[in-house]
Amino acid sequence: MPDSAFRVLEILEQAVAPLSGETISNELGVTRSAVWKQIKELRLMGYDIRSSQKEGYKLVHSSSKLLPYEIHKKLKTRVMGTKMRYFEHTLSTNNVGKQICSEGDPKKLHGTVIIAEEQTGGVGRMGRAWISPGGGIWITIVLKPQVPIDHIFMITMAGSIAVARAIRKEYELGALIKWPNDIFIGKKKIGGLLLEMAAEADTVHYCLLGIGIDVNNPVRDFTADLQKDITSISAEVGHDVDRASFLARILREFENRYQLVESGEYDAITQEWKSLSATLENRVQIRTLKNSFEGEAIDIDEFGALIVRKDNGKLERVIAGDCYQQ
Ligand code: BTN
């Protein structure tokens, strides 16, 4: 959001009564027509600002869009989300991440959150399409990690923990993590994470942690086939929720776990992941690019690999693949 619109909004939010254009223009040291322009812009962003000749301007409702300013007001982090980029529509926030990292210095972009109201070409794991209509949370966190490349999956684990914890704390829903990085409520998927990175030898240039969560987007808009396997926050709690507060909470939970990953406290991450796991101690079917087998998921190691005891008793370490549970 442009800085000037942000300042007009702050003034309107703090006002106890309607304010004239003149009062706002005096406070900001700009012309009345500049104030009018900013009000027009704020309305386009979804802010309900009423005006009357007699009384002036009054903010009636904040925007229900996932605007950086709405998140910023609720943010309690030091790094994550202190820089944000917002798009009404974009192909994929991960794509935007790749673009800005190729044009700028990933170190300076560390912690930037890219937000889209809608994605027209959202991507899931294994290159699958990720349907991303308005009302969900579709974001990418840009990271320049100080993490050895063999432990990079810990970042996704930290992200999954953050999403599950945020759902539990904000809505008291029993969110769990299904290996490798799906978020489930009961038998239905509510979100997923996708980590992409640019690396050379053992140097990680940057990582992009994409997070997609069905929040206020109506599940009935998905195909009948998907509807039976997918849920959303609003479907679970019975009403639309404040996405800005939820995202601010996710970022805070993530920042805490990310610090643990960077300081090498892998055991703390693994233990917390296990305590939220929907996969461990379950019978699973694993499909990798090479093969497919069944067994019992018994553990996850500090590299994020799933340990499966096959029916012949042999232990198999799975680094990537699809995991189906009964
Ligand atoms: C999965 O397959 O479960 C992972 C889904 C990840 C989707 C998110 S939405 C924001 C970001 N942009 C994308 O195109 N994908 C990720």
Short mmCIF file of all heavy atoms in Angstrom, two decimals, residues 92-94 119 121-125 130 132 137-140 181-182 189 191-194 210-212, ligand 1:
data_model
loop_
_atom_site.label_atom_id
_atom_site.label_comp_id
_atom_site.label_asym_id
_atom_site.label_seq_id
_atom_site.Cartn_x
_atom_site.Cartn_y
_atom_site.Cartn_z
N SER A 92 1.63 -17.39 -9.58
CA SER A 92 2.00 -18.15 -8.39
C SER A 92 2.95 -17.28 -7.56
O SER A 92 3.87 -16.67 -8.11
CB SER A 92 2.72 -19.44 -8.83
OG SER A 92 3.64 -19.86 -7.85
N THR A 93 2.71 -17.24 -6.26
CA THR A 93 3.57 -16.41 -5.40
C THR A 93 5.00 -16.96 -5.40
O THR A 93 5.96 -16.21 -5.23
CB THR A 93 3.00 -16.33 -3.97
OG1 THR A 93 2.75 -17.66 -3.51
CG2 THR A 93 1.73 -15.50 -3.92
N ASN A 94 5.16 -18.28 -5.58
CA ASN A 94 6.52 -18.83 -5.65
C ASN A 94 7.25 -18.30 -6.89
O ASN A 94 8.45 -18.02 -6.84
CB ASN A 94 6.49 -20.37 -5.67
CG ASN A 94 6.48 -20.95 -4.27
OD1 ASN A 94 5.96 -20.35 -3.34
ND2 ASN A 94 7.05 -22.14 -4.10
N GLN A 119 -4.45 -16.96 -7.10
CA GLN A 119 -3.37 -17.40 -8.01
C GLN A 119 -4.02 -18.04 -9.23
O GLN A 119 -4.94 -18.85 -9.09
CB GLN A 119 -2.48 -18.43 -7.33
CG GLN A 119 -1.69 -17.89 -6.14
CD GLN A 119 -0.73 -18.94 -5.60
OE1 GLN A 119 0.45 -18.74 -5.56
NE2 GLN A 119 -1.27 -20.08 -5.17
N GLY A 121 -2.16 -19.72 -11.50
CA GLY A 121 -1.39 -20.92 -11.85
C GLY A 121 -0.65 -21.45 -10.63
O GLY A 121 0.55 -21.73 -10.70
N GLY A 122 -1.38 -21.58 -9.51
CA GLY A 122 -0.78 -22.08 -8.27
C GLY A 122 -0.20 -23.48 -8.47
O GLY A 122 -0.77 -24.29 -9.20
N VAL A 123 0.93 -23.74 -7.81
CA VAL A 123 1.61 -25.03 -7.98
C VAL A 123 1.71 -25.76 -6.65
O VAL A 123 2.06 -25.17 -5.62
CB VAL A 123 3.06 -24.82 -8.52
CG1 VAL A 123 3.70 -26.16 -8.85
CG2 VAL A 123 3.05 -23.92 -9.74
N GLY A 124 1.39 -27.05 -6.69
CA GLY A 124 1.53 -27.90 -5.51
C GLY A 124 2.73 -28.82 -5.66
O GLY A 124 3.52 -28.69 -6.61
N ARG A 125 2.86 -29.77 -4.71
CA ARG A 125 3.97 -30.73 -4.80
C ARG A 125 3.86 -31.53 -6.08
O ARG A 125 2.78 -31.71 -6.62
CB ARG A 125 3.94 -31.67 -3.59
CG ARG A 125 4.40 -31.01 -2.32
CD ARG A 125 4.40 -32.01 -1.18
NE ARG A 125 5.21 -33.17 -1.50
CZ ARG A 125 4.73 -34.40 -1.63
NH1 ARG A 125 3.45 -34.65 -1.48
NH2 ARG A 125 5.54 -35.41 -1.90
N TRP A 130 -2.46 -26.19 -8.06
CA TRP A 130 -2.99 -25.86 -6.73
C TRP A 130 -4.07 -24.80 -6.93
O TRP A 130 -3.76 -23.66 -7.31
CB TRP A 130 -1.86 -25.34 -5.82
CG TRP A 130 -2.34 -25.04 -4.44
CD1 TRP A 130 -2.72 -23.82 -3.96
CD2 TRP A 130 -2.48 -25.96 -3.36
NE1 TRP A 130 -3.11 -23.94 -2.65
CE2 TRP A 130 -2.98 -25.23 -2.25
CE3 TRP A 130 -2.26 -27.33 -3.21
CZ2 TRP A 130 -3.24 -25.82 -1.01
CZ3 TRP A 130 -2.52 -27.92 -1.98
CH2 TRP A 130 -2.99 -27.18 -0.91
N SER A 132 -6.41 -21.94 -6.28
CA SER A 132 -6.22 -20.84 -5.32
C SER A 132 -7.19 -19.69 -5.55
O SER A 132 -6.79 -18.62 -6.02
CB SER A 132 -4.79 -20.29 -5.42
OG SER A 132 -3.85 -21.28 -5.78
N ILE A 137 -5.47 -18.38 1.89
CA ILE A 137 -4.16 -17.75 2.15
C ILE A 137 -3.18 -18.40 1.19
O ILE A 137 -2.95 -19.61 1.26
CB ILE A 137 -3.74 -17.92 3.63
CG1 ILE A 137 -4.58 -17.01 4.53
CG2 ILE A 137 -2.24 -17.60 3.80
CD1 ILE A 137 -4.19 -17.02 6.00
N TRP A 138 -2.65 -17.61 0.28
CA TRP A 138 -1.67 -18.10 -0.69
C TRP A 138 -0.45 -17.19 -0.56
O TRP A 138 -0.49 -16.03 -1.00
CB TRP A 138 -2.23 -18.05 -2.13
CG TRP A 138 -3.70 -18.35 -2.24
CD1 TRP A 138 -4.64 -17.51 -2.74
CD2 TRP A 138 -4.39 -19.55 -1.88
NE1 TRP A 138 -5.88 -18.11 -2.69
CE2 TRP A 138 -5.76 -19.37 -2.17
CE3 TRP A 138 -4.00 -20.78 -1.31
CZ2 TRP A 138 -6.74 -20.33 -1.92
CZ3 TRP A 138 -4.97 -21.74 -1.06
CH2 TRP A 138 -6.31 -21.52 -1.37
N ILE A 139 0.57 -17.69 0.07
CA ILE A 139 1.74 -16.84 0.33
C ILE A 139 3.05 -17.59 0.05
O ILE A 139 3.08 -18.82 0.06
CB ILE A 139 1.79 -16.34 1.80
CG1 ILE A 139 1.95 -17.53 2.78
CG2 ILE A 139 0.60 -15.48 2.15
CD1 ILE A 139 2.58 -17.14 4.09
N THR A 140 4.09 -16.80 -0.12
CA THR A 140 5.45 -17.36 -0.20
C THR A 140 6.35 -16.54 0.72
O THR A 140 6.30 -15.30 0.67
CB THR A 140 5.98 -17.31 -1.65
OG1 THR A 140 5.19 -18.19 -2.44
CG2 THR A 140 7.44 -17.75 -1.73
N ASN A 181 4.25 -32.75 3.97
CA ASN A 181 3.96 -31.36 4.37
C ASN A 181 2.53 -30.96 4.11
O ASN A 181 2.26 -29.88 3.60
CB ASN A 181 4.93 -30.39 3.68
CG ASN A 181 5.09 -30.73 2.21
OD1 ASN A 181 4.19 -31.32 1.63
ND2 ASN A 181 6.20 -30.37 1.62
N ASP A 182 1.61 -31.86 4.45
CA ASP A 182 0.18 -31.54 4.31
C ASP A 182 -0.39 -31.23 5.68
O ASP A 182 0.00 -31.87 6.68
CB ASP A 182 -0.59 -32.74 3.76
CG ASP A 182 -0.26 -33.02 2.31
OD1 ASP A 182 0.25 -32.11 1.63
OD2 ASP A 182 -0.51 -34.16 1.87
N LYS A 189 -7.81 -32.54 3.98
CA LYS A 189 -6.67 -31.64 3.85
C LYS A 189 -7.16 -30.19 3.88
O LYS A 189 -8.14 -29.84 3.22
CB LYS A 189 -5.94 -31.93 2.52
CG LYS A 189 -4.75 -31.04 2.26
CD LYS A 189 -3.82 -31.63 1.19
CE LYS A 189 -2.78 -30.64 0.72
NZ LYS A 189 -1.73 -31.22 -0.11
N GLY A 191 -4.50 -27.60 4.02
CA GLY A 191 -3.40 -26.78 3.50
C GLY A 191 -2.19 -27.63 3.15
O GLY A 191 -2.13 -28.83 3.45
N GLY A 192 -1.25 -26.97 2.48
CA GLY A 192 -0.03 -27.66 2.10
C GLY A 192 1.12 -26.67 1.95
O GLY A 192 0.90 -25.46 1.82
N LEU A 193 2.33 -27.20 2.01
CA LEU A 193 3.52 -26.35 1.90
C LEU A 193 4.40 -26.86 0.77
O LEU A 193 4.47 -28.07 0.52
CB LEU A 193 4.32 -26.34 3.20
CG LEU A 193 3.64 -25.64 4.38
CD1 LEU A 193 2.80 -26.62 5.18
CD2 LEU A 193 4.66 -24.99 5.29
N LEU A 194 5.08 -25.94 0.13
CA LEU A 194 5.96 -26.30 -0.97
C LEU A 194 7.25 -25.50 -0.84
O LEU A 194 7.23 -24.28 -0.94
CB LEU A 194 5.27 -25.94 -2.30
CG LEU A 194 6.08 -26.14 -3.58
CD1 LEU A 194 6.28 -27.62 -3.86
CD2 LEU A 194 5.38 -25.49 -4.77
N GLY A 210 6.39 -21.82 0.07
CA GLY A 210 5.01 -21.52 -0.34
C GLY A 210 4.04 -22.18 0.62
O GLY A 210 4.21 -23.35 0.98
N ILE A 211 3.06 -21.42 1.04
CA ILE A 211 2.05 -21.97 1.96
C ILE A 211 0.67 -21.68 1.38
O ILE A 211 0.36 -20.54 1.02
CB ILE A 211 2.16 -21.31 3.37
CG1 ILE A 211 3.57 -21.52 3.94
CG2 ILE A 211 1.09 -21.87 4.31
CD1 ILE A 211 3.78 -20.88 5.32
N GLY A 212 -0.14 -22.72 1.27
CA GLY A 212 -1.50 -22.55 0.77
C GLY A 212 -2.47 -23.12 1.79
O GLY A 212 -2.32 -24.27 2.22
C1 BTN B 1 0.92 -29.12 -1.76
O1 BTN B 1 0.96 -29.73 -2.84
O2 BTN B 1 0.29 -29.56 -0.79
C2 BTN B 1 1.66 -27.80 -1.59
C3 BTN B 1 0.78 -26.64 -1.98
C4 BTN B 1 1.47 -25.30 -1.90
C5 BTN B 1 0.59 -24.18 -2.42
C6 BTN B 1 1.18 -22.82 -2.18
S1 BTN B 1 0.00 -21.53 -2.40
C7 BTN B 1 1.26 -20.34 -2.31
C8 BTN B 1 2.45 -20.90 -3.05
N1 BTN B 1 2.35 -20.59 -4.45
C9 BTN B 1 2.17 -21.68 -5.20
O3 BTN B 1 2.02 -21.70 -6.44
N2 BTN B 1 2.19 -22.76 -4.42
C10 BTN B 1 2.37 -22.42 -3.02
#
